[in-house]
Amino acid sequence: MANQNQFSFRAVKDEDRASILPLIKELWGEDHIVVHEELIFPHKLPGFLALRNDDQIIGLITYRITGDSCEIMTLNSQAEDQGVGTELIESVIGAARRAGCASITLTTTNDNQTAIDFYTNRGFSLKEIRPG
């Protein structure tokens, strides 16, 4: 694992949203995602950024809090196997705890075994598998 000191992590600010939107489009193919049959615009959500020392965005996580539940909506890292994704998840866990959340959930596709392994290795467990 690379030295995490080469990266900085911080909450998304309103002034970041203009640069996050093209990143979301590039990484997800659209400016939105569909989760639970709901249209979600990740660039409008709270989140955390991972930045290189030159302030280039190399990681982004977005989430939403509803009641006492936090749901991770997107997670992307352009620096794999360097601890960026893990640190971003830890940032959301901290935000969820501060907000008094009782649970943190996320959704990924059944065929994304890499993501399933990543999340289970960080303490998440499979709750439901939906065929199709």
Side-chain angles (χ1 to χ4, degrees):
M1 191 175 290
N3 182 354
Q4 282 189 354
N5 291 333
Q6 65 184 325
F7 308 117
S8 61
F9 299 87
R10 66 169 174 80
V12 170
K13 301 174 186 174
D14 284 339
E15 56 266 25
D16 297 320
R17 299 198 187 281
S19 56
I20 290 173
L21 180 56
L23 181 63
I24 293 291
K25 287 180 180 178
E26 175 187 336
L27 297 170
W28 293 89
E30 297 283 345
D31 65 346
H32 62 276
I33 59 173
V34 177
V35 180
H36 314 298
E37 300 180 14
E38 182 182 348
L39 199 61
I40 307 291
F41 293 89
H43 69 284
K44 296 181 178 181
L45 295 174
F48 292 92
L49 295 170
L51 304 162
R52 286 191 202 274
N53 290 336
D54 61 2
D55 287 335
Q56 176 189 4
I57 297 172
I58 52 96
L60 169 67
I61 192 167
T62 62
Y63 65 97
R64 67 178 177 180
I65 294 176
T66 307
D68 69 349
S69 180
C70 176
E71 183 172 14
I72 294 173
M73 303 309 292
T74 65
L75 171 60
N76 293 94
S77 171
Q78 296 172 315
E80 292 188 17
D81 299 321
Q82 297 184 48
V84 171
T86 300
E87 183 67 29
L88 290 169
I89 287 174
E90 290 297 322
S91 296
V92 170
I93 290 170
R97 284 185 180 143
R98 288 187 297 278
C101 292
S103 66
I104 301 173
T105 62
L106 59 92
T107 300
T108 189
T109 57
N110 296 345
D111 62 347
N112 192 346
Q113 192 61 49
T114 301
I116 293 169
D117 292 344
F118 175 82
Y119 292 120
T120 56
N121 287 336
R122 280 143 191 90
F124 289 85
S125 59
L126 291 174
K127 179 180 175 184
E128 181 179 0
I129 297 175
R130 296 181 190 171

